[in-house]
Amino acid sequence: MSLSSCKTTSVMVPGEKKVRVQQMYSEYYSIAEEYFKLENYSKAIEFYEFAMKDRALHDAAYYKIGQCYAKNKQYDKAYSVFNTILRKDPENKSLKNTLAYLTAMNGNVEEAAELYKQILASDPDNVETLVNYVSVLIILKDYETAKINLSYLEKKYPSTAQIAPLKENLEKIKDSQTSDK
């Protein structure tokens, strides 16, 4: 009686297919990351969408798709993605900030100001939020509220790089208002 060897490669080891599939999705994600680094966001989205089919990578890939849309200035699509993610994690301040930013970039400046105001109510020392809130207030010509928030920002975080340009902006506006009189 003769037995064949265990060297056969045609038989898959139990669980091997699952491992190979997970590796494939991880590769898709890695490829997407490289396209993201190269700023080829359309191609990155394509590979993030492949990676999303893996449950373990789904949320991270979906978040990156939102970032790609934002980088491509497709703010409405980015808003939709981040809004969906925020529903799963409603206390995430970073996602709330991102939505406020995308709202402003979509031209809904009044709504963005309200969102920033809500974020600051629960997190008054968020520098990024303060800077963006002041910027939006300037766009809305609410100069007094902008000055108050800029003053707070300057006192609390004097080394913030955006303070000088915001102050300059407000000074120009003040000067133009005085010369109009």
Side-chain angles (χ1 to χ4, degrees):
M1 177 166 151
S2 130
L3 297 174
S4 64
S5 157
C6 290
K7 295 193 308 185
T8 60
T9 57
S10 61
V11 177
M12 200 173 281
V13 175
E16 184 178 355
K17 182 177 181 181
K18 184 177 178 180
V19 169
R20 285 185 181 183
V21 168
Q22 286 174 325
Q23 287 174 335
M24 178 183 67
Y25 289 128
S26 290
E27 284 298 315
Y28 286 147
Y29 191 89
S30 294
I31 292 167
E33 288 286 280
E34 291 305 313
Y35 278 120
F36 188 90
K37 288 176 192 171
L38 294 171
E39 300 178 11
N40 187 339
Y41 302 116
S42 298
K43 206 68 169 156
I45 289 169
E46 186 180 322
F47 282 92
Y48 285 129
E49 286 173 343
F50 288 138
M52 279 178 59
K53 293 175 184 172
D54 181 7
R55 282 186 181 175
L57 295 171
H58 181 275
D59 291 348
Y62 194 52
Y63 179 87
K64 294 295 283 202
I65 287 171
Q67 285 186 317
C68 288
Y69 284 138
K71 297 271 189 186
N72 262 347
K73 297 181 179 8
Q74 295 175 292
Y75 300 119
D76 53 337
K77 288 182 177 183
Y79 181 91
S80 177
V81 169
F82 286 109
N83 196 36
T84 299
I85 296 169
L86 184 64
R87 277 187 250 137
K88 291 181 178 182
D89 188 5
E91 298 307 311
N92 188 314
K93 292 175 187 169
S94 177
L95 289 173
K96 288 179 181 181
N97 232 338
T98 300
L99 281 177
Y101 170 80
L102 293 169
T103 301
M105 296 308 290
N106 265 332
N108 303 321
V109 185
E110 289 175 6
E111 184 183 342
E114 189 55 40
L115 291 170
Y116 283 128
K117 187 176 178 180
Q118 289 171 12
I119 295 166
L120 288 169
S122 65
D123 188 11
D125 294 325
N126 185 315
V127 175
E128 178 186 355
T129 305
L130 279 164
V131 167
N132 288 342
Y133 185 49
V134 170
S135 298
V136 166
L137 290 169
I138 292 170
I139 293 168
L140 291 171
K141 299 180 180 172
D142 186 351
Y143 304 125
E144 286 308 309
T145 309
K147 286 177 192 174
I148 292 166
N149 283 278
L150 184 56
S151 175
Y152 176 78
L153 178 65
E154 189 172 23
K155 285 176 189 162
K156 193 89 173 171
Y157 304 101
S159 62
T160 302
Q162 295 93 332
I163 291 173
L166 288 170
K167 281 178 85 170
E168 205 173 286
N169 221 345
L170 281 171
E171 284 301 315
K172 284 180 187 174
I173 292 164
K174 182 181 171 184
D175 292 343
S176 72
Q177 286 177 338
T178 352
S179 66
D180 289 345
K181 290 183 180 179

